[in-house]
Amino acid sequence: GVYFTKNRLGGELDTKSLVEIVFLLIKRVKEIEKEEKIHFDYYLLLSGQDYLTKPICYINAQLKKSYPKPFIDCTPYDKSNWIYYKFNSIFGIRNFQSWVSEKFPKKGIRHLFRLFFRGVGIMAEKIVQFFHKTDYDYIKKKGVTLYGGSAWWILPDIVIDFIMQERVNNADWFKCLLNSYTPEETFFQTLSMRSPIKELIELNPIDWVAQNCKTWAYFSDIDKPFKGHPYIFTENEYNKLIKKDCWIARKFDITISSKIFDLLDKYMENAIKWSK
């Protein structure tokens, strides 16, 4: 049951390439449906460092019971939240700010340089925005309401088909949406909330920063420094994983911890036995 796409694309974080890769995958799934004369009710997006934390039979049962409910982390755009930054920052200045954050840490005398250069960047961005329309200005003019959230989702066929059709019908603002900052965290949320079943999506409060999806990524811990990226799960997090209300988790790395896979496999095998 493993299939490959005929074409391959290189993916780069925070760019439209990640969304275009998903389009390739969806296209391949549609081909498989025709070839095998089958139909898929749900589409689940996974990364290469994801792993199941619940048995497939359990996930299938939950999806069958919930259909056509979309499982997607979805927060409305607001000037006070993180989505505002993604659509109102200028690409070149955004890269400059990232360079400043990496070059000057938040400590010692170098922190003063960090504050100075970030201030310069913010001022430059305000000046550029005065003369140059942002992605948000254009998208708003098209009557599109923006949403954002985790890049990992489970969407029903109704939403997927709608998105693929919208790609053809609204190529103009689609391009603008794809060229925004980190489109993989806004594109599918925005399109899902334009779909015929948008009322089935659970919306987060505008100040929500925690994940609200079935794939859990582990970003913060009282005993670990925040890195801005998910921690790698080890056997030490086993109890957290099985107690968490999620079906999938990320990230895992067999070179760092292989034991966690054995523990999860045994847990899921027992869970299948208990269900019988």
Side-chain angles (χ1 to χ4, degrees):
V2 178
Y3 299 85
F4 294 89
T5 59
K6 297 174 183 177
N7 300 319
R8 308 296 292 275
L9 283 178
E12 186 177 345
L13 194 64
D14 299 336
T15 70
K16 65 180 180 181
S17 61
L18 297 187
V19 178
E20 289 173 336
I21 288 170
V22 177
F23 284 148
L24 269 183
L25 295 173
I26 293 172
K27 181 182 177 182
R28 182 69 183 115
V29 171
K30 294 297 183 183
E31 291 171 351
I32 294 166
E33 285 187 323
K34 290 181 180 179
E35 293 167 4
E36 304 291 339
K37 293 182 172 55
I38 55 177
H39 179 76
F40 298 107
D41 291 333
Y42 275 103
Y43 292 66
L44 164 60
L45 184 64
L46 296 170
S47 84
Q49 288 187 283
D50 287 8
Y51 203 71
L52 296 184
T53 57
K54 297 291 186 294
I56 291 176
C57 59
Y58 172 82
I59 297 173
N60 279 337
Q62 293 301 308
L63 290 175
K64 186 175 182 180
K65 183 169 63 176
S66 302
Y67 181 83
K69 175 183 171 61
F71 294 91
I72 185 168
D73 186 25
C74 199
T75 302
Y77 170 99
D78 188 83
K79 283 191 174 182
S80 65
N81 66 19
W82 57 274
I83 309 170
Y84 173 84
Y85 171 73
K86 290 183 182 295
F87 285 92
N88 287 275
S89 58
I90 308 300
F91 181 76
I93 298 174
R94 183 170 67 225
N95 286 351
F96 171 74
Q97 294 285 41
S98 298
W99 176 83
V100 170
S101 298
E102 183 179 339
K103 200 75 173 176
F104 302 101
K106 292 182 178 180
K107 58 183 178 180
I109 190 68
R110 300 186 75 186
H111 182 50
L112 297 178
F113 288 100
R114 175 192 178 96
L115 293 175
F116 172 77
F117 284 118
R118 286 187 68 83
V120 169
I122 292 171
M123 185 177 297
E125 189 163 59
K126 294 297 182 183
I127 294 171
V128 173
Q129 285 177 353
F130 185 78
F131 298 99
H132 182 274
K133 295 293 184 182
T134 65
D135 293 331
Y136 175 68
D137 294 324
Y138 182 79
I139 293 172
K140 183 181 179 181
K141 190 176 180 181
K142 293 292 182 179
V144 179
T145 303
L146 299 171
Y147 298 85
S150 171
W152 312 104
W153 41 256
I154 306 174
L155 293 175
D157 52 353
I158 298 170
V159 174
I160 292 295
D161 291 343
F162 172 81
I163 291 174
M164 299 305 284
Q165 189 59 49
E166 284 287 278
R167 185 187 182 193
V168 177
N169 296 341
N170 294 293
D172 54 346
W173 61 260
F174 238 59
K175 184 177 179 181
C176 190
L177 195 62
L178 283 173
N179 287 328
S180 62
Y181 183 48
T182 320
E184 72 272 19
E185 294 181 350
T186 55
F187 180 89
F188 291 98
Q189 283 80 6
T190 298
L191 268 296
S192 295
M193 283 302 296
R194 293 174 64 85
S195 75
I197 56 171
K198 62 183 180 181
E199 70 279 357
L200 298 180
I201 297 174
E202 296 179 11
L203 282 181
N204 303 326
I206 59 172
D207 59 348
W208 190 268
V209 292
Q211 301 162 84
N212 183 17
C213 61
K214 293 302 181 182
T215 298
W216 180 43
Y218 182 40
F219 282 94
S220 60
D221 192 294
I222 194 170
D223 298 321
K224 296 180 180 181
F226 177 74
K227 295 183 177 181
H229 297 286
Y231 302 124
I232 302 296
F233 286 109
T234 69
E235 58 270 23
N236 297 327
E237 284 80 46
Y238 169 71
N239 287 326
K240 291 181 181 179
L241 282 166
I242 61 173
K243 291 177 182 178
K244 190 72 176 178
D245 181 25
C246 64
W247 301 344
I248 307 133
R250 63 184 300 270
K251 295 179 174 181
F252 294 86
D253 189 330
I254 197 169
T255 64
I256 293 176
S257 174
S258 60
K259 187 176 179 181
I260 185 62
F261 294 107
D262 297 330
L263 292 171
L264 286 173
D265 287 348
K266 186 174 182 180
Y267 163 75
M268 287 187 281
E269 183 182 348
N270 288 332
I272 293 171
K273 292 177 181 177
W274 297 334
S275 67
K276 293 178 180 178

